[in-house]
């Protein structure tokens, strides 16, 4: 997980509360991603960013928003957490763009439980 | 919906045996990648194969790609207990949308 840090690593919250997960990279990569991982679904893309203030939706973006005010930080916000958002969230950076390949490096994950 | 579908969902073998995992996908791709995830950890990139390649090797890993069948396979030869993990295929679409889409994964258990 060198060069990419997620915080918090674990969080328990209650339904209806806002939650923000942070992804920090030291690699100065342009592309950053947020995925969620659930049993039976594998990894599903929530949002991604292709530069400062440039973001786009993934396949499961409802209920989530993101912000990227500087290259190194990509924030994922759950405005009003629901139990269906209990999951493990992974941030990733695209480490291979310069070679034309789109290889991802993942963070260690943030386990979120919504009660 | 998921782009990649893996088969089998779970695989249990003895150390020293070969393990084969398959991945099918739906749309045209630029490249296909395989990742490994150890329990409680993030995913780690293993190998990438481009759409114009048919086979690629990396150490004990062999990946094949059949674009006509929209399928790929990952072969791990002479498996070790340390290979116990979940393995995911991921596809990057030829439309260059900036999205790497993952399958549901195959859980491999290698018994010592």
């Amino acid at each position: 997980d060198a060069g990419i840090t997620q915080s918090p690593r674990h969080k328990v919250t209650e339904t209806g509360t806002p939650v923000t997960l942070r992804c920090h990279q030291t690699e100065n990569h342009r592309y950053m991603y947020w995925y969620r991982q659930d049993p039976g679904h594998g990894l599903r893309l929530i949002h991604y960013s292709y530069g400062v203030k440039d973001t786009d939706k993934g396949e499961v973006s409802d209920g989530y928003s993101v912000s990227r005010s500087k290259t190194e930080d990509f924030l994922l916000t759950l405005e009003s957490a629901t139990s269906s958002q209990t999951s493990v969230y992974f941030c990733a950076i695209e480490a291979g763009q310069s070679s034309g390949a789109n290889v991802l490096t993942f963070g260690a994950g943030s386990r979120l439980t919504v009660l | 919906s998921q782009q990649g579908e893996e088969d089998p969902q779970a695989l249990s073998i003895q150390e020293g045996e070969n393990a084969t995992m398959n991945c099918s996908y739906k749309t045209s791709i630029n490249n296909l990648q395989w990742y490994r995830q150890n329990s409680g950890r993030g995913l780690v990139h293993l190998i990438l194969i481009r759409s114009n390649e048919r086979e690629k090797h990396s150490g004990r890993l062999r990946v094949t790609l059949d674009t006509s069948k929209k399928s790929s396979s990952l072969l791990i030869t002479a498996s070790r207990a340390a290979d116990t993990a979940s393995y995911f295929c991921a596809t990057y679409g030829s439309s260059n949308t900036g999205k790497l889409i993952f399958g549901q994964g195959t859980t491999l258990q290698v018994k010592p």
Side-chain angles (χ1 to χ4, degrees):
Chain A
D1 304 336
I4 181 169
T5 306
Q6 291 184 228
S7 60
R9 293 291 314 282
H10 301 272
K11 186 171 181 66
V12 179
T13 192
E14 293 189 350
T15 298
T17 60
V19 176
T20 295
L21 305 179
R22 179 181 182 237
C23 179
H24 178 79
Q25 62 149 330
T26 59
E27 309 290 326
N28 201 36
H29 287 295
R30 179 182 169 196
Y31 282 78
M32 299 183 75
Y33 302 81
W34 277 108
Y35 288 87
R36 61 177 289 176
Q37 184 175 33
D38 305 286
H41 292 280
L43 273 82
R44 292 180 290 175
L45 181 63
I46 305 172
H47 281 280
Y48 69 103
S49 171
Y50 46 96
V52 174
K53 297 185 180 179
D54 291 324
T55 65
D56 203 353
K57 297 178 180 180
E59 56 185 318
V60 290
S61 59
D62 287 349
Y64 301 95
S65 62
V66 290
S67 66
R68 187 139 178 232
S69 59
K70 46 186 178 178
T71 300
E72 57 265 36
D73 288 326
F74 191 32
L75 304 180
L76 177 70
T77 297
L78 292 65
E79 301 290 347
S80 178
T82 67
S83 58
S84 65
Q85 293 176 311
T86 292
S87 186
V88 181
Y89 292 85
F90 286 98
C91 177
I93 57 176
E94 190 163 308
Q97 187 66 15
S98 61
S99 64
N102 317 92
V103 171
L104 299 189
T105 297
F106 282 82
S110 295
R111 182 175 294 275
L112 175 66
T113 302
V114 183
L115 303 175
Chain B
S1 62
Q2 300 295 125
Q3 163 74 315
E5 297 292 336
E6 279 135 291
D7 172 62
Q9 289 189 330
L11 181 61
S12 182
I13 61 174
Q14 294 294 134
E15 209 166 25
E17 295 179 340
N18 295 341
T20 300
M21 288 158 266
N22 303 296
C23 170
S24 60
Y25 57 91
K26 299 174 184 175
T27 62
S28 297
I29 62 170
N30 181 287
N31 65 67
L32 184 144
Q33 303 174 34
W34 287 90
Y35 288 76
R36 182 187 73 229
Q37 183 181 34
N38 291 95
S39 181
R41 307 290 296 273
L43 280 74
V44 175
H45 175 78
L46 293 176
I47 193 167
L48 177 150
I49 186 166
R50 290 185 168 83
S51 60
N52 61 353
E53 297 175 313
R54 292 296 168 259
E55 187 170 315
K56 204 161 184 181
H57 296 257
S58 177
R60 293 184 295 112
L61 304 180
R62 173 182 169 240
V63 171
T64 62
L65 179 64
D66 187 335
T67 54
S68 66
K69 295 182 179 178
K70 291 186 170 58
S71 67
S72 173
S73 67
L74 171 67
L75 169 67
I76 303 174
T77 60
S79 62
R80 306 165 182 168
D83 294 327
T84 294
S86 293
Y87 292 82
F88 295 86
C89 70
T91 53
Y92 190 80
S94 57
S95 60
N96 197 27
T97 58
K99 303 174 186 177
L100 191 63
I101 305 299
F102 285 79
Q104 297 180 15
T106 293
T107 298
L108 173 66
Q109 181 186 30
V110 181
K111 299 176 183 176

